[in-house]
Amino acid sequence: MTDAGVRAFEMVAALDYERTAGSPQEAQAARSIVSALHSIGLSPHTQTFEIPLYQITRASFSVTSPASNALFFGVTGYGHSGNTPPEGLEAPFIYIENGEDSLLAQASGCIALLNIHPTPTLYHKMEAANVAGFVSISGAIDDDRRSTDLERRSLRIGRHVTSAEGGIPGLCIRAEDAARLLAAKPKRCKIILQQQTFFGQSANIIADIPGTGHSEETILFSAHYDSVPFSHGSYDNASGSAILLELCRFFKDNPLRRPCRFVWCGAEEIGLEGSRHYARSLSPDSLRQIVLNINIDLAGQLIGVNHAVVSAEESLCHILQFLAAHSEIGLTVRQGIFPSDASSFADVGIPAVTLYRTGAGGHSRKDTACLLHPLALQKTYDLALELTRYLGDSMVFPVSRAIPENVRQPLNDYFARTAGS
Ligand SMILES: [Zn+2]
């Protein structure tokens, strides 16, 4: 038994701080990963790229009618949504629940409260319905205000709305406040949202381990190292980043027939920016030579289940099931997509699999190293190691380089495209 889980946990502990995309802390985490790679004896390179960022300067919500119920609520503004005039936007209030068509039909010119964060499809429906502004409900009705944070979200609709463009301005509100608001039966309300959009910088870190044969067939590992606001991102995803380092350490001393490339992706949490940039930067030849992406996102909690989401042909599901049974590792396998960097790679034609372990506290201030344990990190490490040894050393690579239609369609939906675009 190696002590990979223990070393991975030490790395998670070293990254136990908020690392949002484009922040100095994200850059600090990148430097830690680079120095860990140097200590393994590898010479990584760093690929920097521009990312769209925003700064909210004003965000507020108030009820204007009935005047006797002029309630005010704490809100956060949706990044990249749109700005109201400086004096605010005053309009009729409507509650459209999950954005059902029958409710949307009455929402023209209104500020709409909705239960969910708008998907690209719902956002476009709200545009078509001429919704003036939206307020989405965040968290659960029984959240304790002292131990939870109102989310800071940005809109993902397949493009980034700049402050000059004028999308639908949006806010987030706590569920408890939304219930109080509905009970007050508001007729009209006012929202103010002022934000600036600009570009910042993030980075991917890339390390290569040559193969001993089959040099034209590379296995690409990925894990993102950024976090969401408020969160130390230990579970999501210092855990995957640390496991990748341990895999790197192993394969440096035990190379396979096929080369292994490791990419620690920046800025995943704001829309897979790092992996999409990396995928776009590949020449057609380099792209063709990548036969599989193994992405690790979420690992390390003792109470949990390991999952594999296969964005590739079904035979990879069977291989994973066989390996899990053979190595006595618990694993649930499904074919489809996972909202992580593997989707960027599948989108450019690379068969991909995401390994994740279920757990609690993701995307919240509770996500710190306290949630994790070396024994659980070791489980995901063992699974990834087993899979890579099998695939990396097989005489003929057993996964065809194809993205089947039942994966392609959800990818198109995820990236907010219509089929064929
Ligand atoms: Zn993640």
Side-chain angles (χ1 to χ4, degrees):
M1 177 63 93
T2 72
D3 48 3
V6 173
R7 279 193 303 263
F9 185 78
E10 285 166 5
M11 187 64 191
V12 169
L15 297 176
D16 194 7
Y17 50 87
E18 186 180 317
R19 309 177 301 276
T20 56
S23 67
Q25 292 78 13
E26 192 201 37
Q28 183 186 334
R31 286 193 296 274
S32 297
I33 292 167
V34 166
S35 97
L37 286 164
H38 281 138
S39 74
I40 291 171
L42 291 166
S43 306
H45 72 275
T46 298
Q47 178 187 49
T48 57
F49 51 92
E50 276 199 332
I51 50 171
L53 296 175
Y54 64 91
Q55 173 83 45
I56 307 277
T57 50
R58 281 181 79 199
S60 73
F61 177 91
S62 57
V63 175
T64 54
S65 171
S68 58
N69 283 324
L71 303 168
F72 290 82
F73 301 98
V75 294
T76 52
Y78 251 85
H80 299 284
S81 62
N83 283 343
T84 63
E87 68 278 15
L89 169 74
E90 208 263 347
F93 171 88
I94 186 171
Y95 176 40
I96 60 169
E97 302 190 354
N98 284 6
E100 284 75 14
D101 289 343
S102 54
L103 297 171
L104 264 175
Q106 304 166 54
S108 178
C110 294
I111 293 168
L113 177 72
L114 58 160
N115 298 338
I116 53 175
H117 299 298
T119 59
T121 306
L122 178 53
Y123 181 83
H124 292 130
K125 276 183 165 185
M126 291 198 297
E127 271 186 327
N130 199 28
V131 169
F134 70 88
V135 182
S136 77
I137 299 175
S138 177
I141 190 84
D142 57 353
D143 280 348
D144 177 352
R145 283 174 188 263
R146 290 162 305 176
S147 60
T148 58
D149 301 286
L150 179 52
E151 288 173 281
R152 281 193 235 139
R153 295 186 72 98
S154 63
L155 199 62
R156 291 191 205 164
I157 53 168
R159 66 188 168 91
H160 286 279
V161 178
T162 64
S163 24
E165 267 180 87
I168 307 173
L171 303 174
C172 277
I173 189 172
R174 280 181 182 273
E176 187 189 7
D177 289 340
R180 276 205 299 142
L181 172 65
L182 289 169
K185 294 197 279 187
K187 297 268 184 297
R188 298 183 67 83
C189 61
K190 181 162 119 172
I191 61 174
I192 301 176
L193 179 58
Q194 296 281 292
Q195 66 179 297
Q196 276 131 28
T197 54
F198 52 95
F199 287 95
Q201 200 173 68
S202 180
N204 296 324
I205 301 143
I206 301 157
D208 277 297
I209 295 176
T212 56
H214 299 312
S215 60
E216 70 297 347
E217 293 181 346
T218 298
I219 296 176
L220 175 72
F221 291 88
S222 58
H224 75 86
Y225 66 93
D226 62 318
S227 77
V228 297
F230 306 114
S231 170
H232 287 197
S234 298
Y235 171 50
D236 185 9
N237 183 39
S239 59
S241 299
I243 290 168
L244 240 58
L245 279 170
E246 290 311 308
L247 291 167
C248 224
R249 188 191 307 277
F250 181 88
F251 290 121
K252 160 121 195 334
D253 293 336
N254 306 278
L256 302 169
R257 282 204 174 96
R258 291 181 176 78
C260 291
R261 180 169 305 153
F262 294 83
V263 183
W264 287 264
C265 298
E268 187 264 3
E269 297 286 10
I270 61 165
L272 317 186
E273 293 287 335
S275 51
R276 289 203 292 163
H277 179 82
Y278 179 72
R280 275 197 299 264
S281 72
L282 291 168
S283 68
D285 273 352
S286 316
L287 180 59
R288 237 190 324 272
Q289 286 180 7
I290 300 173
V291 289
L292 182 72
N293 166 232
I294 300 174
N295 179 55
I296 302 179
D297 191 354
L298 305 176
Q301 295 202 29
L302 280 172
I303 299 174
V305 181
N306 274 34
H307 287 252
V309 182
V310 170
S311 304
E313 63 175 19
E314 210 182 338
S315 64
L316 182 55
C317 297
H318 302 313
I319 290 170
L320 278 154
Q321 277 154 344
F322 166 76
L323 289 172
H326 181 69
S327 354
E328 300 171 24
I329 296 171
L331 183 67
T332 300
V333 183
R334 74 173 171 88
Q335 192 185 29
I337 69 165
F338 188 78
S340 179
D341 294 313
S343 290
S344 304
F345 298 122
D347 197 41
V348 295
I350 300 170
V353 56
T354 292
L355 305 180
Y356 75 94
R357 182 168 175 83
T358 56
H363 285 200
S364 79
R365 67 163 90 167
K366 293 177 189 160
D367 184 359
T368 67
C370 299
L371 292 180
L372 306 196
H373 194 280
L375 289 173
L377 290 163
Q378 182 80 40
K379 286 189 180 187
T380 300
Y381 170 83
D382 287 343
L383 175 64
L385 191 69
E386 202 61 35
L387 176 66
T388 311
R389 283 163 122 176
Y390 176 76
L391 294 174
D393 261 349
S394 66
M395 280 307 290
V396 175
F397 197 73
V399 183
S400 77
R401 211 178 176 294
I403 304 298
E405 190 50 36
N406 59 344
V407 173
R408 170 56 59 196
Q409 188 55 50
L411 279 174
N412 283 336
D413 291 344
Y414 181 74
F415 289 110
R417 285 185 307 250
T418 51
S421 68

